Amino acid sequence: MNDRFAIGGKLSKPREHAQLLVVGAGAAGVAAAIEGAQAGLSVVLVDENPVSAGLMGLDVPLFYGQRMTAAVQEEGRMVERLVASSPALEAAYDAGVDVRLGVTVWGAFVNGPAVRALPGRVAGLADADTSWLCGFDALILATGARDLVLGFAGVDTPGVMGVRALDALLSRYDAFSGRRIVFLGSGNLAATAALRAIERGIEVAALVEVLPEPQAAPALMDALAAHGVRVLTSHVILRAEAAGGDVAAAIVAPLQDTGAAERLACDTICLAIGVSPAIELADVAGCKLVARGADGGPVARAVGPAGTSIAGVFMAGDCAGVIDPAADMSVAEASGRDAAHAAMAWLAGESAAETPASAGAAAGDAYVYRMAWMRALVESGGMSAPVCLCEEVSRADLLGVQPPRYLGCESRQMASRSAETLLQDGPLNPDQIKRLTRAGMGPCQGRRCRDQVALLLAMASNGSPQDVPLASHRAPVRPLPLRVLAADDESVEMRDLWDVWFGIPTQWIPYDDIGTEREAEILSAHGGGNMHL
């Protein structure tokens, strides 16, 4: 007998359906979409860009640091710039791909152990006005990578930003307001970004590096030297100096003598220490994840070529493992085509051919480098530096496992707890720390603190970031107005009995029935029990 309180069979059918849904219109995603369309599949390619000025102000999806010009307010111009900066999009249109720009994929859902009520494989989509469900047979996630943010005094000053956000404002939108940049980091990521800025007439004051030697390829370092760019090795940033509310300088110092500080005048401080794979959707869909320094952070566990632990869900580009920023774009495109071939083979019930590892994959262990930076920042900046900018959580608050000060919660029990006391019960878990300190609960949804929380917990545990449990993601993976989510109306069946949760007798009687004859009837039908009594 069907349980009339269960949700199974009550969900509305998706508004639309695609044989292949591709999320992300970067080089990998566009290549995957074109490959699928040329093979005769119905392909929908979705990309959240151009994102609104409001989301940029929240540092979503990248750490823009308020360094965008007023041009980002002009939606039409932003679309034009986006299309102009990605010529492959025209090829996608010509191939018959249904391209959706400015559309957010806020969740991807597949029936599994925890969810068995879906009408099929669905993704939640939303634009500025409404949300809807799109069904799919196969899914390729080409969501790229997000900025890695490490805290220091003044990191919340307008003008401190991430390297991927800088690239977006320079190359995609032509809307960067800075004129002189200090880069933190000296790897290929920092060097290529610095050279791109120089090409656009922006002055690079210096690259700051905590290690004794520059980390970029020799050819990149030679190119920077030809432009007279300084590389300060064995140095760390102490703070961002502000004037008029914006960055005015980066105060840096040698690691062994922080008293010998140097003022580097600039209007922008760019965090180019690393980027992390954007795996929010893979996590929400239920893919098994693994933290790998060689891939730049957490990625979906690989199963065959481009596959994940969920059949029919595939990864491509940086979200499958960060690609060396100095590599040719063809590396990302090849990753996208590989994912498309794997998806097509799966749809046809065949096994996809194995493909060799990409020659453009980033080398080395990203976690080792990030830990070197995190230790240097802690040693030079102490425990008062911010971690979570949204909830105002400092390093001391985080490792002391203290609630936000603005809540005014003080007790002997809270004062006595710390990361050290929690370690007695097992590995430190970012989700537990999040609930106790609110680090990661702000509107940026943890994008500016997630990585450094893991690094700090690894330091407190005397372990590796790879040993720290991965923090979970929840839908919606982008902040959305309630009016947008509410636009996708529920069926009559779903609205019925919604306020009697799962038919549990001790849950709420429907409000309209309290104090009426219906209340007694409901109590009688469900065996009694009422939280209103």
Side-chain angles (χ1 to χ4, degrees), residues 13-19 21 44 46 98 100 103 121-123 125-126 132-136:
K13 291 184 179 180
R15 182 190 300 181
E16 57 183 343
H17 186 90
Q19 288 178 290
L21 176 63
V44 173
V46 180
D98 184 352
R100 315 277 184 84
V103 174
R121 295 164 172 250
V122 296
L125 275 58
W132 67 97
L133 294 180
C134 175
F136 61 85

Side-chain angles (χ1 to χ4, degrees), residues 51-315:
V51 297
S52 68
L55 280 182
M56 285 184 171
L58 292 175
D59 291 325
V60 176
L62 303 173
F63 185 26
Y64 291 98
Q66 307 297 325
R67 263 298 162 260
M68 51 278 188
T69 67
V72 301
Q73 303 280 355
E74 303 172 23
E75 184 178 350
R77 176 193 179 278
M78 294 282 279
V79 173
E80 291 177 0
R81 284 294 312 164
L82 176 61
V83 174
S85 66
S86 181
L89 279 175
E90 184 176 350
Y93 284 114
D94 293 342
V97 177
D98 184 352
V99 180
R100 315 277 184 84
L101 300 179
V103 174
T104 295
V105 180
W106 52 263
F109 309 97
V110 176
N111 280 323
V115 181
R116 299 183 182 275
L118 296 173
R121 295 164 172 250
V122 296
L125 275 58
D127 57 21
D129 302 311
T130 188
S131 65
W132 67 97
L133 294 180
C134 175
F136 61 85
D137 296 329
L139 173 67
I140 294 178
L141 299 175
T143 47
R146 56 181 175 77
D147 290 316
L148 171 75
V149 182
L150 300 183
F152 51 88
V155 70
D156 54 346
T157 306
V160 180
M161 67 183 308
V163 66
R164 284 295 167 94
L166 173 66
D167 184 57
L169 294 180
L170 284 176
S171 304
R172 182 184 295 162
Y173 300 130
D174 188 22
F176 176 63
S177 64
R179 300 305 307 161
R180 194 167 196 262
I181 308 176
V182 168
F183 285 88
L184 304 186
S186 70
N188 286 355
L189 183 67
T192 54
L195 290 170
R196 189 173 296 116
I198 291 170
E199 289 173 1
R200 285 158 175 77
I202 297 166
E203 187 178 357
V204 175
L207 272 61
V208 180
E209 174 58 61
V210 299
L211 297 182
E213 299 293 335
Q215 300 300 296
L220 293 175
M221 298 310 302
D222 290 344
L224 288 173
H227 289 285
V229 176
R230 299 174 64 195
V231 180
L232 304 177
T233 56
S234 297
H235 274 63
V236 68
I237 185 168
L238 301 180
R239 66 184 183 277
E241 180 183 296
D246 290 335
V247 165
I251 309 302
V252 303
L255 285 174
Q256 304 305 320
D257 185 9
T258 55
E262 179 179 356
R263 183 182 186 275
L264 301 176
C266 62
D267 55 30
T268 304
I269 299 172
C270 182
L271 287 152
I273 298 164
V275 294
S276 294
I279 44 79
E280 299 99 318
L281 285 173
D283 191 12
V284 167
C287 297
K288 293 181 179 178
L289 305 176
V290 59
R292 280 199 290 255
D295 288 325
V299 292
R301 192 179 69 186
V303 178
T308 69
S309 60
I310 298 179
V313 177
F314 304 88
M315 308 286 283

Side-chain angles (χ1 to χ4, degrees), residues 438-503:
R438 292 190 60 85
M441 284 193 176
C444 86
Q445 297 178 304
R447 287 173 182 82
R448 298 182 297 191
C449 66
R450 178 179 295 266
D451 298 288
Q452 57 183 320
V453 166
L455 294 174
L456 287 167
L457 295 185
M459 288 178 61
S461 307
N462 293 318
S464 165
Q466 295 185 158
D467 301 327
V468 175
L470 296 177
S472 59
H473 298 83
R474 295 181 180 179
V477 299
R478 293 290 186 269
L480 295 175
L482 287 177
R483 62 174 177 79
V484 169
L485 288 175
D488 189 19
D489 200 11
E490 297 175 336
S491 65
V492 174
E493 293 79 11
M494 288 186 69
R495 290 196 296 269
D496 186 34
L497 299 172
W498 70 269
D499 50 359
V500 186
W501 300 341
F502 308 107

